[in-house]
Amino acid sequence: MTVLPDRDGFDAPVTLDRREGPYGEVALRRRGEHYEIIANGCFLMDTADGRSERLLIQAALDELTVERPAVLIGGLGVGFSLAYAAAEPRWGRIAVAEREDAIIGWHRTGPLSAFSGHALDDPRVTVLHGDLVAYLAAEGERFDALCLDIDNGPDWTVTEENSGLYGPAGLAAAQRRLNPGGVLAVWSAQPSAGFEEALRTAGFVAVRTVEIPVRRGVPDVVHLARRA
């Protein structure tokens, strides 16, 4: 099912690349001067407005008091979050997990390199090519912040496998990958009271939601929570 936001006044889209991967089809489209990423017919994000993706990073950083914190960004997307993190000297280590080889390629040698800037060349940055849910569930490095933007939100996942990230097992895995006092920030295309409750049930504290107004419809949000 194709689910796209209201694009009134935008040019008709032109598909630049379309690939089949282990999780279905992913496509890059240009609409006027902007680019869109579409996964299995579902609109993920575009380059028209990166305010909420940048807030995802800034809100997490504002919660931290440790020096040179380490952040894991879940989802490379159009590169707004990564570029914003790389522009901030306070971050000591920046990892970004992306499961779609096509998206990584669009940033390294394709049109999206203009939006990720020189972030991929930053020595603090590591690209983790693989599934975020599986990565968090495994044993490994801890971070001071997890900034996750891999779906349209906890209530609107791109693939069925991603739904586990927002349930008890996924939230427990996120806690294990956070240092004490670490911050979990989750982007969503709409507020989710159910996800807020799931965060509290999982043992997170200081749960709150920050809204980002959009041109029309419900606001984008960033859900924030802290590991005790």
Side-chain angles (χ1 to χ4, degrees):
M1 178 179 68
T2 301
V3 183
L4 298 175
D6 184 351
R7 318 304 279 168
D8 290 346
F10 282 66
D11 295 335
V14 176
T15 299
L16 303 179
D17 194 5
R18 178 186 287 119
R19 304 188 201 177
E20 285 290 335
Y23 307 98
E25 182 187 83
V26 60
L28 178 66
R29 306 197 313 196
R30 185 180 66 240
R31 193 186 288 265
E33 63 182 9
H34 300 295
Y35 296 89
E36 304 172 340
I37 296 178
I38 311 295
N40 293 320
C42 180
F43 175 90
L44 282 185
M45 58 183 63
D46 64 17
T47 60
D49 183 356
R51 286 177 300 160
S52 58
E53 290 90 342
R54 297 182 184 103
L55 178 63
L56 177 73
I57 303 298
Q58 189 63 52
L61 184 61
D62 288 345
E63 296 286 321
L64 297 171
T65 58
V66 297
E67 293 186 7
R68 306 291 289 169
V71 60
L72 170 63
I73 301 171
L76 179 53
V78 296
F80 284 140
S81 296
L82 174 61
Y84 192 77
E88 172 53 66
R90 279 184 57 192
W91 292 113
R93 168 162 158 68
I94 303 167
V96 56
E98 176 55 60
R99 70 183 190 178
E100 296 291 350
D101 183 67
I103 292 178
I104 296 173
W106 295 333
H107 280 277
R108 291 200 184 281
T109 60
L112 297 184
S113 61
F115 300 92
S116 50
H118 300 293
L120 293 180
D121 298 324
D122 191 308
R124 296 171 298 163
V125 172
T126 302
V127 177
L128 307 172
H129 182 200
D131 180 69
L132 176 67
V133 178
Y135 177 79
L136 291 177
E139 295 295 327
E141 178 184 1
R142 284 186 176 183
F143 297 87
D144 299 296
L146 302 179
C147 297
L148 310 185
D149 180 10
I150 63 170
D151 293 301
N152 283 314
D155 300 328
W156 189 1
T157 57
V158 175
T159 59
E160 184 177 350
E161 294 86 352
N162 285 354
S163 62
L165 180 64
Y166 308 104
L171 294 179
Q175 279 196 322
R176 290 193 300 270
R177 285 304 196 102
L178 281 170
N179 289 318
V183 175
L184 174 65
V186 178
W187 186 93
S188 178
Q190 60 187 19
S192 175
F195 183 59
E196 285 190 348
E197 185 59 31
L199 288 167
R200 296 186 180 95
T201 300
F204 284 95
V205 298
V207 176
R208 64 189 181 95
T209 299
V210 180
E211 295 188 352
I212 306 96
V214 296
R215 187 164 61 93
R216 64 179 66 179
V218 297
D220 295 341
V221 304
V222 173
H223 294 287
L224 291 165
R226 183 185 294 276
R227 178 186 169 181

PDB file of all heavy atoms in Angstrom, residues 53-54 56-57 71 73 75-88 91 94-97 107 115-122 124-127:
ATOM      1  N   GLU A  53      14.538  15.918  12.209  1.00  0.00           N
ATOM      2  CA  GLU A  53      15.691  15.021  12.246  1.00  0.00           C
ATOM      3  C   GLU A  53      16.850  15.651  13.013  1.00  0.00           C
ATOM      4  O   GLU A  53      17.585  14.968  13.729  1.00  0.00           O
ATOM      5  CB  GLU A  53      16.129  14.661  10.826  1.00  0.00           C
ATOM      6  CG  GLU A  53      15.153  13.759  10.072  1.00  0.00           C
ATOM      7  CD  GLU A  53      14.129  14.555   9.288  1.00  0.00           C
ATOM      8  OE1 GLU A  53      13.940  15.767   9.587  1.00  0.00           O
ATOM      9  OE2 GLU A  53      13.509  13.990   8.362  1.00  0.00           O
ATOM     10  N   ARG A  54      17.015  16.962  12.872  1.00  0.00           N
ATOM     11  CA  ARG A  54      18.062  17.657  13.627  1.00  0.00           C
ATOM     12  C   ARG A  54      17.706  17.728  15.106  1.00  0.00           C
ATOM     13  O   ARG A  54      18.569  17.577  15.978  1.00  0.00           O
ATOM     14  CB  ARG A  54      18.277  19.051  13.043  1.00  0.00           C
ATOM     15  CG  ARG A  54      18.774  19.043  11.588  1.00  0.00           C
ATOM     16  CD  ARG A  54      19.023  20.458  11.076  1.00  0.00           C
ATOM     17  NE  ARG A  54      19.412  20.440   9.676  1.00  0.00           N
ATOM     18  CZ  ARG A  54      18.601  20.750   8.662  1.00  0.00           C
ATOM     19  NH1 ARG A  54      17.342  21.108   8.903  1.00  0.00           N
ATOM     20  NH2 ARG A  54      19.032  20.706   7.410  1.00  0.00           N
ATOM     21  N   LEU A  56      16.083  15.573  16.745  1.00  0.00           N
ATOM     22  CA  LEU A  56      16.341  14.241  17.300  1.00  0.00           C
ATOM     23  C   LEU A  56      17.730  14.193  17.931  1.00  0.00           C
ATOM     24  O   LEU A  56      17.917  13.650  19.026  1.00  0.00           O
ATOM     25  CB  LEU A  56      16.226  13.201  16.189  1.00  0.00           C
ATOM     26  CG  LEU A  56      16.521  11.745  16.543  1.00  0.00           C
ATOM     27  CD1 LEU A  56      15.387  11.167  17.379  1.00  0.00           C
ATOM     28  CD2 LEU A  56      16.723  10.919  15.276  1.00  0.00           C
ATOM     29  N   ILE A  57      18.709  14.765  17.250  1.00  0.00           N
ATOM     30  CA  ILE A  57      20.088  14.774  17.737  1.00  0.00           C
ATOM     31  C   ILE A  57      20.273  15.808  18.840  1.00  0.00           C
ATOM     32  O   ILE A  57      20.869  15.535  19.890  1.00  0.00           O
ATOM     33  CB  ILE A  57      21.057  15.061  16.581  1.00  0.00           C
ATOM     34  CG1 ILE A  57      20.875  14.039  15.449  1.00  0.00           C
ATOM     35  CG2 ILE A  57      22.496  15.077  17.083  1.00  0.00           C
ATOM     36  CD1 ILE A  57      21.159  12.615  15.853  1.00  0.00           C
ATOM     37  N   VAL A  71      27.180   8.502  20.378  1.00  0.00           N
ATOM     38  CA  VAL A  71      25.806   8.400  19.907  1.00  0.00           C
ATOM     39  C   VAL A  71      25.702   7.354  18.807  1.00  0.00           C
ATOM     40  O   VAL A  71      26.590   7.229  17.961  1.00  0.00           O
ATOM     41  CB  VAL A  71      25.288   9.771  19.388  1.00  0.00           C
ATOM     42  CG1 VAL A  71      26.134  10.298  18.235  1.00  0.00           C
ATOM     43  CG2 VAL A  71      23.821   9.686  18.970  1.00  0.00           C
ATOM     44  N   ILE A  73      23.095   6.547  15.809  1.00  0.00           N
ATOM     45  CA  ILE A  73      21.952   7.019  15.032  1.00  0.00           C
ATOM     46  C   ILE A  73      21.377   5.829  14.290  1.00  0.00           C
ATOM     47  O   ILE A  73      22.086   5.155  13.535  1.00  0.00           O
ATOM     48  CB  ILE A  73      22.379   8.114  14.036  1.00  0.00           C
ATOM     49  CG1 ILE A  73      22.993   9.305  14.776  1.00  0.00           C
ATOM     50  CG2 ILE A  73      21.190   8.565  13.192  1.00  0.00           C
ATOM     51  CD1 ILE A  73      23.633  10.331  13.846  1.00  0.00           C
ATOM     52  N   GLY A  75      19.382   4.676  11.437  1.00  0.00           N
ATOM     53  CA  GLY A  75      18.837   5.078  10.153  1.00  0.00           C
ATOM     54  C   GLY A  75      19.607   6.245   9.562  1.00  0.00           C
ATOM     55  O   GLY A  75      19.694   7.321  10.158  1.00  0.00           O
ATOM     56  N   LEU A  76      20.206   6.022   8.383  1.00  0.00           N
ATOM     57  CA  LEU A  76      20.935   7.087   7.697  1.00  0.00           C
ATOM     58  C   LEU A  76      19.980   8.038   6.988  1.00  0.00           C
ATOM     59  O   LEU A  76      20.186   9.259   6.978  1.00  0.00           O
ATOM     60  CB  LEU A  76      21.926   6.464   6.708  1.00  0.00           C
ATOM     61  CG  LEU A  76      22.787   7.388   5.862  1.00  0.00           C
ATOM     62  CD1 LEU A  76      23.532   8.400   6.721  1.00  0.00           C
ATOM     63  CD2 LEU A  76      23.763   6.568   5.029  1.00  0.00           C
ATOM     64  N   GLY A  77      18.904   7.489   6.419  1.00  0.00           N
ATOM     65  CA  GLY A  77      17.894   8.323   5.780  1.00  0.00           C
ATOM     66  C   GLY A  77      18.482   9.255   4.744  1.00  0.00           C
ATOM     67  O   GLY A  77      19.344   8.873   3.954  1.00  0.00           O
ATOM     68  N   VAL A  78      18.036  10.516   4.764  1.00  0.00           N
ATOM     69  CA  VAL A  78      18.559  11.499   3.816  1.00  0.00           C
ATOM     70  C   VAL A  78      19.788  12.215   4.372  1.00  0.00           C
ATOM     71  O   VAL A  78      20.325  13.118   3.719  1.00  0.00           O
ATOM     72  CB  VAL A  78      17.482  12.530   3.408  1.00  0.00           C
ATOM     73  CG1 VAL A  78      16.352  11.853   2.653  1.00  0.00           C
ATOM     74  CG2 VAL A  78      16.960  13.293   4.614  1.00  0.00           C
ATOM     75  N   GLY A  79      20.224  11.848   5.557  1.00  0.00           N
ATOM     76  CA  GLY A  79      21.484  12.341   6.081  1.00  0.00           C
ATOM     77  C   GLY A  79      21.417  13.536   7.002  1.00  0.00           C
ATOM     78  O   GLY A  79      22.449  13.982   7.519  1.00  0.00           O
ATOM     79  N   PHE A  80      20.224  14.085   7.252  1.00  0.00           N
ATOM     80  CA  PHE A  80      20.116  15.271   8.089  1.00  0.00           C
ATOM     81  C   PHE A  80      20.659  15.023   9.502  1.00  0.00           C
ATOM     82  O   PHE A  80      21.405  15.839  10.043  1.00  0.00           O
ATOM     83  CB  PHE A  80      18.665  15.739   8.185  1.00  0.00           C
ATOM     84  CG  PHE A  80      18.164  16.451   6.955  1.00  0.00           C
ATOM     85  CD1 PHE A  80      16.880  16.220   6.483  1.00  0.00           C
ATOM     86  CD2 PHE A  80      18.953  17.377   6.284  1.00  0.00           C
ATOM     87  CE1 PHE A  80      16.407  16.883   5.363  1.00  0.00           C
ATOM     88  CE2 PHE A  80      18.490  18.042   5.161  1.00  0.00           C
ATOM     89  CZ  PHE A  80      17.206  17.794   4.706  1.00  0.00           C
ATOM     90  N   SER A  81      20.255  13.910  10.113  1.00  0.00           N
ATOM     91  CA  SER A  81      20.662  13.640  11.496  1.00  0.00           C
ATOM     92  C   SER A  81      22.172  13.443  11.589  1.00  0.00           C
ATOM     93  O   SER A  81      22.828  13.980  12.487  1.00  0.00           O
ATOM     94  CB  SER A  81      19.934  12.405  12.034  1.00  0.00           C
ATOM     95  OG  SER A  81      18.544  12.625  12.110  1.00  0.00           O
ATOM     96  N   LEU A  82      22.735  12.664  10.673  1.00  0.00           N
ATOM     97  CA  LEU A  82      24.170  12.415  10.696  1.00  0.00           C
ATOM     98  C   LEU A  82      24.947  13.705  10.472  1.00  0.00           C
ATOM     99  O   LEU A  82      25.920  13.992  11.189  1.00  0.00           O
ATOM    100  CB  LEU A  82      24.550  11.392   9.638  1.00  0.00           C
ATOM    101  CG  LEU A  82      26.059  11.151   9.482  1.00  0.00           C
ATOM    102  CD1 LEU A  82      26.662  10.615  10.775  1.00  0.00           C
ATOM    103  CD2 LEU A  82      26.334  10.208   8.323  1.00  0.00           C
ATOM    104  N   ALA A  83      24.563  14.498   9.488  1.00  0.00           N
ATOM    105  CA  ALA A  83      25.274  15.741   9.202  1.00  0.00           C
ATOM    106  C   ALA A  83      25.211  16.689  10.389  1.00  0.00           C
ATOM    107  O   ALA A  83      26.204  17.366  10.721  1.00  0.00           O
ATOM    108  CB  ALA A  83      24.691  16.406   7.957  1.00  0.00           C
ATOM    109  N   TYR A  84      24.069  16.737  11.047  1.00  0.00           N
ATOM    110  CA  TYR A  84      23.916  17.624  12.197  1.00  0.00           C
ATOM    111  C   TYR A  84      24.797  17.160  13.354  1.00  0.00           C
ATOM    112  O   TYR A  84      25.439  17.978  14.033  1.00  0.00           O
ATOM    113  CB  TYR A  84      22.454  17.667  12.623  1.00  0.00           C
ATOM    114  CG  TYR A  84      22.133  18.764  13.615  1.00  0.00           C
ATOM    115  CD1 TYR A  84      22.002  20.083  13.196  1.00  0.00           C
ATOM    116  CD2 TYR A  84      21.962  18.480  14.965  1.00  0.00           C
ATOM    117  CE1 TYR A  84      21.705  21.096  14.096  1.00  0.00           C
ATOM    118  CE2 TYR A  84      21.674  19.485  15.872  1.00  0.00           C
ATOM    119  CZ  TYR A  84      21.542  20.791  15.436  1.00  0.00           C
ATOM    120  OH  TYR A  84      21.264  21.793  16.322  1.00  0.00           O
ATOM    121  N   ALA A  85      24.852  15.847  13.583  1.00  0.00           N
ATOM    122  CA  ALA A  85      25.702  15.320  14.642  1.00  0.00           C
ATOM    123  C   ALA A  85      27.173  15.583  14.346  1.00  0.00           C
ATOM    124  O   ALA A  85      27.948  15.979  15.231  1.00  0.00           O
ATOM    125  CB  ALA A  85      25.452  13.827  14.824  1.00  0.00           C
ATOM    126  N   ALA A  86      27.582  15.372  13.101  1.00  0.00           N
ATOM    127  CA  ALA A  86      28.983  15.558  12.737  1.00  0.00           C
ATOM    128  C   ALA A  86      29.404  17.020  12.830  1.00  0.00           C
ATOM    129  O   ALA A  86      30.592  17.315  13.021  1.00  0.00           O
ATOM    130  CB  ALA A  86      29.225  15.022  11.329  1.00  0.00           C
ATOM    131  N   ALA A  87      28.451  17.946  12.716  1.00  0.00           N
ATOM    132  CA  ALA A  87      28.764  19.366  12.822  1.00  0.00           C
ATOM    133  C   ALA A  87      28.926  19.816  14.272  1.00  0.00           C
ATOM    134  O   ALA A  87      29.339  20.958  14.516  1.00  0.00           O
ATOM    135  CB  ALA A  87      27.671  20.196  12.147  1.00  0.00           C
ATOM    136  N   GLU A  88      28.625  18.931  15.219  1.00  0.00           N
ATOM    137  CA  GLU A  88      28.705  19.259  16.642  1.00  0.00           C
ATOM    138  C   GLU A  88      29.978  18.650  17.234  1.00  0.00           C
ATOM    139  O   GLU A  88      30.099  17.430  17.349  1.00  0.00           O
ATOM    140  CB  GLU A  88      27.465  18.720  17.374  1.00  0.00           C
ATOM    141  CG  GLU A  88      27.521  18.830  18.886  1.00  0.00           C
ATOM    142  CD  GLU A  88      27.821  20.233  19.365  1.00  0.00           C
ATOM    143  OE1 GLU A  88      26.973  21.124  19.158  1.00  0.00           O
ATOM    144  OE2 GLU A  88      28.912  20.421  19.945  1.00  0.00           O
ATOM    145  N   TRP A  91      30.246  15.705  20.291  1.00  0.00           N
ATOM    146  CA  TRP A  91      30.145  14.258  20.163  1.00  0.00           C
ATOM    147  C   TRP A  91      31.545  13.653  20.035  1.00  0.00           C
ATOM    148  O   TRP A  91      32.342  14.095  19.210  1.00  0.00           O
ATOM    149  CB  TRP A  91      29.302  13.858  18.951  1.00  0.00           C
ATOM    150  CG  TRP A  91      27.856  14.191  19.049  1.00  0.00           C
ATOM    151  CD1 TRP A  91      27.171  15.094  18.294  1.00  0.00           C
ATOM    152  CD2 TRP A  91      26.895  13.616  19.940  1.00  0.00           C
ATOM    153  NE1 TRP A  91      25.847  15.128  18.660  1.00  0.00           N
ATOM    154  CE2 TRP A  91      25.643  14.220  19.675  1.00  0.00           C
ATOM    155  CE3 TRP A  91      26.962  12.645  20.943  1.00  0.00           C
ATOM    156  CZ2 TRP A  91      24.489  13.900  20.372  1.00  0.00           C
ATOM    157  CZ3 TRP A  91      25.806  12.320  21.642  1.00  0.00           C
ATOM    158  CH2 TRP A  91      24.595  12.938  21.356  1.00  0.00           C
ATOM    159  N   ILE A  94      30.433   8.832  16.757  1.00  0.00           N
ATOM    160  CA  ILE A  94      29.147   8.836  16.071  1.00  0.00           C
ATOM    161  C   ILE A  94      29.063   7.578  15.221  1.00  0.00           C
ATOM    162  O   ILE A  94      29.865   7.388  14.296  1.00  0.00           O
ATOM    163  CB  ILE A  94      29.002  10.079  15.165  1.00  0.00           C
ATOM    164  CG1 ILE A  94      29.185  11.370  15.965  1.00  0.00           C
ATOM    165  CG2 ILE A  94      27.656  10.071  14.450  1.00  0.00           C
ATOM    166  CD1 ILE A  94      29.366  12.610  15.099  1.00  0.00           C
ATOM    167  N   ALA A  95      28.122   6.711  15.537  1.00  0.00           N
ATOM    168  CA  ALA A  95      27.862   5.524  14.717  1.00  0.00           C
ATOM    169  C   ALA A  95      26.487   5.676  14.094  1.00  0.00           C
ATOM    170  O   ALA A  95      25.560   6.206  14.725  1.00  0.00           O
ATOM    171  CB  ALA A  95      27.936   4.253  15.559  1.00  0.00           C
ATOM    172  N   VAL A  96      26.342   5.245  12.857  1.00  0.00           N
ATOM    173  CA  VAL A  96      25.037   5.280  12.203  1.00  0.00           C
ATOM    174  C   VAL A  96      24.772   3.906  11.608  1.00  0.00           C
ATOM    175  O   VAL A  96      25.594   3.362  10.879  1.00  0.00           O
ATOM    176  CB  VAL A  96      24.962   6.400  11.127  1.00  0.00           C
ATOM    177  CG1 VAL A  96      26.061   6.263  10.086  1.00  0.00           C
ATOM    178  CG2 VAL A  96      23.584   6.421  10.470  1.00  0.00           C
ATOM    179  N   ALA A  97      23.631   3.328  11.964  1.00  0.00           N
ATOM    180  CA  ALA A  97      23.241   2.006  11.484  1.00  0.00           C
ATOM    181  C   ALA A  97      22.258   2.159  10.332  1.00  0.00           C
ATOM    182  O   ALA A  97      21.245   2.858  10.465  1.00  0.00           O
ATOM    183  CB  ALA A  97      22.614   1.189  12.616  1.00  0.00           C
ATOM    184  N   HIS A 107      24.443   7.959  -0.553  1.00  0.00           N
ATOM    185  CA  HIS A 107      25.200   8.968   0.198  1.00  0.00           C
ATOM    186  C   HIS A 107      26.669   8.990  -0.193  1.00  0.00           C
ATOM    187  O   HIS A 107      27.279  10.056  -0.232  1.00  0.00           O
ATOM    188  CB  HIS A 107      25.078   8.708   1.703  1.00  0.00           C
ATOM    189  CG  HIS A 107      23.794   9.205   2.286  1.00  0.00           C
ATOM    190  ND1 HIS A 107      23.597  10.510   2.660  1.00  0.00           N
ATOM    191  CD2 HIS A 107      22.624   8.559   2.533  1.00  0.00           C
ATOM    192  CE1 HIS A 107      22.367  10.660   3.123  1.00  0.00           C
ATOM    193  NE2 HIS A 107      21.755   9.489   3.060  1.00  0.00           N
ATOM    194  N   PHE A 115      23.638  16.146   1.045  1.00  0.00           N
ATOM    195  CA  PHE A 115      22.950  16.400   2.305  1.00  0.00           C
ATOM    196  C   PHE A 115      23.703  15.826   3.509  1.00  0.00           C
ATOM    197  O   PHE A 115      23.583  16.346   4.614  1.00  0.00           O
ATOM    198  CB  PHE A 115      21.525  15.841   2.244  1.00  0.00           C
ATOM    199  CG  PHE A 115      20.726  16.458   1.144  1.00  0.00           C
ATOM    200  CD1 PHE A 115      20.677  15.869  -0.113  1.00  0.00           C
ATOM    201  CD2 PHE A 115      20.054  17.648   1.344  1.00  0.00           C
ATOM    202  CE1 PHE A 115      19.966  16.453  -1.149  1.00  0.00           C
ATOM    203  CE2 PHE A 115      19.341  18.247   0.317  1.00  0.00           C
ATOM    204  CZ  PHE A 115      19.296  17.646  -0.938  1.00  0.00           C
ATOM    205  N   SER A 116      24.455  14.775   3.298  1.00  0.00           N
ATOM    206  CA  SER A 116      25.282  14.244   4.383  1.00  0.00           C
ATOM    207  C   SER A 116      26.607  14.980   4.456  1.00  0.00           C
ATOM    208  O   SER A 116      27.368  14.813   5.421  1.00  0.00           O
ATOM    209  CB  SER A 116      25.513  12.739   4.202  1.00  0.00           C
ATOM    210  OG  SER A 116      25.961  12.440   2.888  1.00  0.00           O
ATOM    211  N   GLY A 117      26.889  15.829   3.471  1.00  0.00           N
ATOM    212  CA  GLY A 117      28.079  16.652   3.491  1.00  0.00           C
ATOM    213  C   GLY A 117      29.334  15.807   3.597  1.00  0.00           C
ATOM    214  O   GLY A 117      29.472  14.781   2.929  1.00  0.00           O
ATOM    215  N   HIS A 118      30.235  16.229   4.444  1.00  0.00           N
ATOM    216  CA  HIS A 118      31.475  15.489   4.647  1.00  0.00           C
ATOM    217  C   HIS A 118      31.389  14.587   5.881  1.00  0.00           C
ATOM    218  O   HIS A 118      32.418  14.124   6.369  1.00  0.00           O
ATOM    219  CB  HIS A 118      32.647  16.454   4.779  1.00  0.00           C
ATOM    220  CG  HIS A 118      32.854  17.327   3.574  1.00  0.00           C
ATOM    221  ND1 HIS A 118      33.256  16.816   2.352  1.00  0.00           N
ATOM    222  CD2 HIS A 118      32.689  18.658   3.396  1.00  0.00           C
ATOM    223  CE1 HIS A 118      33.343  17.806   1.477  1.00  0.00           C
ATOM    224  NE2 HIS A 118      33.002  18.935   2.081  1.00  0.00           N
ATOM    225  N   ALA A 119      30.184  14.357   6.365  1.00  0.00           N
ATOM    226  CA  ALA A 119      30.025  13.602   7.606  1.00  0.00           C
ATOM    227  C   ALA A 119      30.605  12.196   7.508  1.00  0.00           C
ATOM    228  O   ALA A 119      31.195  11.680   8.472  1.00  0.00           O
ATOM    229  CB  ALA A 119      28.552  13.534   8.001  1.00  0.00           C
ATOM    230  N   LEU A 120      30.438  11.542   6.369  1.00  0.00           N
ATOM    231  CA  LEU A 120      30.937  10.174   6.230  1.00  0.00           C
ATOM    232  C   LEU A 120      32.457  10.113   6.259  1.00  0.00           C
ATOM    233  O   LEU A 120      33.029   9.046   6.491  1.00  0.00           O
ATOM    234  CB  LEU A 120      30.407   9.541   4.943  1.00  0.00           C
ATOM    235  CG  LEU A 120      28.906   9.277   4.900  1.00  0.00           C
ATOM    236  CD1 LEU A 120      28.517   8.659   3.564  1.00  0.00           C
ATOM    237  CD2 LEU A 120      28.466   8.374   6.043  1.00  0.00           C
ATOM    238  N   ASP A 121      33.116  11.252   6.029  1.00  0.00           N
ATOM    239  CA  ASP A 121      34.573  11.304   6.086  1.00  0.00           C
ATOM    240  C   ASP A 121      35.088  11.717   7.460  1.00  0.00           C
ATOM    241  O   ASP A 121      36.306  11.736   7.682  1.00  0.00           O
ATOM    242  CB  ASP A 121      35.107  12.290   5.039  1.00  0.00           C
ATOM    243  CG  ASP A 121      34.767  11.870   3.615  1.00  0.00           C
ATOM    244  OD1 ASP A 121      34.782  10.653   3.356  1.00  0.00           O
ATOM    245  OD2 ASP A 121      34.478  12.748   2.788  1.00  0.00           O
ATOM    246  N   ASP A 122      34.185  12.061   8.369  1.00  0.00           N
ATOM    247  CA  ASP A 122      34.582  12.469   9.719  1.00  0.00           C
ATOM    248  C   ASP A 122      35.176  11.263  10.445  1.00  0.00           C
ATOM    249  O   ASP A 122      34.565  10.187  10.471  1.00  0.00           O
ATOM    250  CB  ASP A 122      33.352  12.980  10.473  1.00  0.00           C
ATOM    251  CG  ASP A 122      33.698  13.664  11.783  1.00  0.00           C
ATOM    252  OD1 ASP A 122      34.426  13.060  12.597  1.00  0.00           O
ATOM    253  OD2 ASP A 122      33.226  14.795  12.008  1.00  0.00           O
ATOM    254  N   ARG A 124      35.259  10.513  13.414  1.00  0.00           N
ATOM    255  CA  ARG A 124      34.418  10.051  14.530  1.00  0.00           C
ATOM    256  C   ARG A 124      33.282   9.148  14.060  1.00  0.00           C
ATOM    257  O   ARG A 124      32.631   8.492  14.882  1.00  0.00           O
ATOM    258  CB  ARG A 124      33.814  11.253  15.259  1.00  0.00           C
ATOM    259  CG  ARG A 124      34.807  12.178  15.933  1.00  0.00           C
ATOM    260  CD  ARG A 124      34.085  13.432  16.431  1.00  0.00           C
ATOM    261  NE  ARG A 124      33.498  14.172  15.320  1.00  0.00           N
ATOM    262  CZ  ARG A 124      32.542  15.110  15.463  1.00  0.00           C
ATOM    263  NH1 ARG A 124      32.074  15.401  16.662  1.00  0.00           N
ATOM    264  NH2 ARG A 124      32.078  15.746  14.401  1.00  0.00           N
ATOM    265  N   VAL A 125      33.012   9.146  12.748  1.00  0.00           N
ATOM    266  CA  VAL A 125      31.818   8.491  12.201  1.00  0.00           C
ATOM    267  C   VAL A 125      32.142   7.082  11.725  1.00  0.00           C
ATOM    268  O   VAL A 125      33.119   6.851  11.004  1.00  0.00           O
ATOM    269  CB  VAL A 125      31.232   9.324  11.038  1.00  0.00           C
ATOM    270  CG1 VAL A 125      30.115   8.551  10.331  1.00  0.00           C
ATOM    271  CG2 VAL A 125      30.716  10.657  11.562  1.00  0.00           C
ATOM    272  N   THR A 126      31.274   6.140  12.117  1.00  0.00           N
ATOM    273  CA  THR A 126      31.329   4.762  11.633  1.00  0.00           C
ATOM    274  C   THR A 126      29.966   4.391  11.077  1.00  0.00           C
ATOM    275  O   THR A 126      28.945   4.610  11.746  1.00  0.00           O
ATOM    276  CB  THR A 126      31.698   3.778  12.754  1.00  0.00           C
ATOM    277  OG1 THR A 126      32.960   4.142  13.308  1.00  0.00           O
ATOM    278  CG2 THR A 126      31.761   2.354  12.232  1.00  0.00           C
ATOM    279  N   VAL A 127      29.931   3.832   9.875  1.00  0.00           N
ATOM    280  CA  VAL A 127      28.684   3.342   9.292  1.00  0.00           C
ATOM    281  C   VAL A 127      28.573   1.853   9.580  1.00  0.00           C
ATOM    282  O   VAL A 127      29.461   1.069   9.228  1.00  0.00           O
ATOM    283  CB  VAL A 127      28.632   3.601   7.777  1.00  0.00           C
ATOM    284  CG1 VAL A 127      27.350   3.012   7.178  1.00  0.00           C
ATOM    285  CG2 VAL A 127      28.717   5.090   7.482  1.00  0.00           C
TER     286      VAL A 127
END
